[in-house]
Amino acid sequence: MSGADIDRRTLIGNGIGAAALALLPRTAYATPISLQIDAPAGRFLSDGHSENGGPRAWSFRGIRYGRAERFRAPTPEPRATAPVRAVAWGSSSPQAGKGYAGDANGIPANEDCLVLNVWTTGKTDKPKPVMFYIHGGAYSSGTGSSALYDGTQLAERDMVVVTVNHRLNVFGYLYLARLDPRLPDSGNAGQLDLILALQWVQRNIAAFGGDPSRVMVFGQSGGGAKIATMTGMPAAKGLFSRAITMSGQQVTASGPLNATTRARAYLGKLGNPSIDALLTMPVEKLIEGLSVPDPILGGALYMGPVLDMKWLVRHPFYPDANPVGLSIPMILGNCKQETGAFIDPDSATIKGLTWDNIAERMAPQLRIDALPEWVVAEYRQRYPQWSPEQVMYAATTAGRSWRGQVIEAEERAKAGAPAWVYQVDFASRTEPRRGAMHTMDIPLAFGTLGAAGSQTGTGADARAASKAVQDSYVAFARTGDPNHPGLPAWPKYDLARRATMIFDTDSRIEDNPRRWQRELFARIPYIQPGT
């Protein structure tokens, strides 16, 4: 019998796994195979394939890790009594603009959305680091099933990759504890979902080839903010051993009084129903209530983690870095022109922008109480060659989007906690005016340069920047230190040098980048959105 005639399902079923597949002749790799995983949570089956050159990653999709009852803490999913074909994406949380309409994969939304996805090349003798990704979308939108977060490339680098869905917006963060003592967990239910998912990983990931002692959480935007929050939650302690926040920070959580004010405004939009009526109200109606303006900030209604003195008993980075997370090595990153993603170059904010109207247009975009005329004058004096558009993007990024990350890095440095800082300078190749905008590091990290939503392009320059980011993330997942031979030495962040890795086509270290801009806004108090 030739190698190509071997029954690969038999190989996998007998536990020989991916290591044995690597011994098969190259002609065997085109044959479809299945991977079976026997874990404490049950038996999981994945259809997959291998390609020439070696075994590819199998994806296990839509694995349930818990159950969600409205406004209450999640409960673990019991062990599956029958084999589970984990081949379809699970539901995402309902969200404004989607509700039950379904996500990009055509999967209808559902508030009972506690599912995760795993990519692995199979179990080997040496357990692999685990990379646990939390999607962005603030605390209101998003899904862990986006093509941008496909874990194949990272899994093929001897990682086990996990993405997760959890409750968002009203389902995950509407704070009702002061209105009804039966719902003490309501304001942090979304965070508790993530903690439950990490507990599932601790119990089960070894069966997928992962090392539960080396779980790295990483997340972009809202995902990074959720991670910053979890580093200060005692219930999450010991569930992960490294963390990367990508353009996402949470210096302070929402205060319980402000969170209650928002809850009252939300209930008013719904006609002030009783809490019992709210518990049975159709999902579509609950989503409609999110259209109420935020009673504190204006604009869209904010919901996020709450200082409830049960699950979150002090702020993540106020008055300093929360001691709960100081032992966890962290990478904190941002993009040089974050607000390029939020302020459309063709929007009313940018169209017709001149030195005469820039201050008025900049004021609502800064999100801090700074005199915009003074900000504009300072930038014009410092950078006389810049256009109004350049000043708008630079100032709003420095004043609005970068501040939280700077504060978090500074507080960890003061505490002597291990932290490394990066800045993405690699700019959008599809919309150049947006620059190195918010989200640029997602496809660079996953290698999903050609996926829908990527702004990187797929050229050699993008591949070089992606390799630099990926190599650093993989090194960090393995050892808790992002340094590796492919890049210059990356020092830990300190207040004297402020060494920062600049990720670009040619990545490099810079000390104290954008110093003048950082110092300009440091004199103005930073207010975390939602606080």
Side-chain angles (χ1 to χ4, degrees), residues 384-448:
Q385 75 280 15
W386 282 14
S387 68
E389 181 174 320
Q390 287 175 300
V391 170
M392 173 68 79
Y393 282 125
T396 54
T397 292
R400 162 185 175 177
S401 298
W402 186 31
R403 292 286 303 283
Q405 186 249 283
V406 170
I407 291 169
E408 291 182 1
E410 289 176 339
E411 293 303 329
R412 285 186 66 89
K414 292 175 187 176
W420 293 262
V421 168
Y422 74 76
Q423 173 181 300
V424 174
D425 279 18
F426 187 86
S428 172
R429 296 321 195 235
T430 58
E431 296 187 64
R433 288 173 64 189
R434 292 183 182 266
M437 66 179 184
H438 194 70
T439 72
M440 288 300 294
D441 42 4
I442 298 173
L444 297 179
F446 281 92
T448 50

Side-chain angles (χ1 to χ4, degrees), residues 483-504:
N483 281 284
H484 58 89
L487 286 180
W490 186 353
K492 292 178 184 176
Y493 191 82
D494 62 48
L495 298 181
R497 183 177 173 185
R498 298 181 185 266
T500 301
M501 178 63 73
I502 307 298
F503 283 125
D504 205 340

Side-chain angles (χ1 to χ4, degrees), residues 137-439:
Y139 294 93
S140 301
S141 61
T143 175
S145 306
S146 167
L148 278 171
Y149 316 144
D150 186 288
T152 300
Q153 287 195 37
L154 291 172
E156 289 175 347
R157 301 191 63 173
D158 281 333
M159 301 285 119
V160 176
V161 182
V162 180
T163 65
V164 62
N165 287 352
H166 63 290
R167 286 173 288 178
L168 303 168
N169 52 70
V170 59
F171 305 100
Y173 298 97
L174 177 65
Y175 181 61
L176 298 168
R178 297 192 73 242
L179 304 180
D180 192 322
R182 295 176 299 169
L183 303 172
D185 309 314
S186 53
N188 287 306
Q191 295 297 112
L192 299 181
D193 293 348
L194 294 170
I195 289 172
L196 183 63
L198 285 163
Q199 291 170 340
W200 186 97
V201 166
Q202 285 294 315
R203 291 191 299 268
N204 292 279
I205 208 65
F208 292 82
D211 183 351
S213 71
R214 290 188 293 168
V215 176
M216 184 190 85
V217 291
F218 68 126
Q220 189 270 344
S221 192
K226 294 161 193 172
I227 289 168
T229 302
M230 282 199 301
T231 62
M233 297 182 72
K237 191 172 179 63
L239 297 179
F240 54 94
S241 55
R242 304 101 159 83
I244 302 178
T245 59
M246 308 159 62
S247 302
Q249 52 276 325
Q250 193 77 44
V251 176
T252 52
S254 183
L257 299 183
N258 280 349
T260 301
T261 297
R262 291 183 167 102
R264 292 187 187 280
Y266 173 80
L267 293 173
K269 178 70 174 180
L270 296 179
N272 291 310
S274 68
I275 298 299
D276 284 333
L278 195 68
L279 290 171
T280 58
M281 189 172 289
V283 167
E284 295 91 333
K285 185 70 174 176
L286 295 181
I287 292 295
E288 289 176 10
L290 292 172
S291 63
V292 66
D294 191 282
I296 298 166
L297 294 172
L301 182 66
Y302 175 88
M303 290 184 187
V306 180
L307 191 70
D308 61 359
M309 296 307 175
K310 179 181 180 182
W311 297 107
L312 194 59
V313 298
R314 58 149 284 175
H315 293 293
F317 282 89
Y318 178 85
D320 51 18
N322 195 318
V324 171
L326 290 182
S327 63
I328 301 170
M330 288 188 70
I331 295 177
L332 301 100
N334 76 99
C335 297
K336 189 175 183 180
Q337 191 169 299
E338 294 276 354
T339 54
F342 310 134
I343 307 174
D344 190 328
D346 294 322
S347 68
T349 301
I350 301 296
K351 274 189 172 182
L353 187 67
T354 68
W355 295 121
D356 293 329
N357 60 28
I358 184 174
E360 179 183 358
R361 295 186 183 188
M362 179 184 289
Q365 300 292 343
L366 278 172
R367 304 290 176 87
I368 55 172
D369 197 355
L371 185 66
E373 290 83 2
W374 170 79
V375 171
V376 172
E378 290 291 312
Y379 269 87
R380 291 191 73 179
Q381 181 178 356
R382 180 73 179 187
Y383 303 109
Q385 75 280 15
W386 282 14
S387 68
E389 181 174 320
Q390 287 175 300
V391 170
M392 173 68 79
Y393 282 125
T396 54
T397 292
R400 162 185 175 177
S401 298
W402 186 31
R403 292 286 303 283
Q405 186 249 283
V406 170
I407 291 169
E408 291 182 1
E410 289 176 339
E411 293 303 329
R412 285 186 66 89
K414 292 175 187 176
W420 293 262
V421 168
Y422 74 76
Q423 173 181 300
V424 174
D425 279 18
F426 187 86
S428 172
R429 296 321 195 235
T430 58
E431 296 187 64
R433 288 173 64 189
R434 292 183 182 266
M437 66 179 184
H438 194 70
T439 72

Side-chain angles (χ1 to χ4, degrees), residues 517-530:
Q517 296 188 67
R518 176 182 58 78
E519 292 177 345
L520 181 73
F521 288 101
R523 69 188 74 181
I524 300 165
Y526 173 74
I527 306 299
Q528 175 81 42

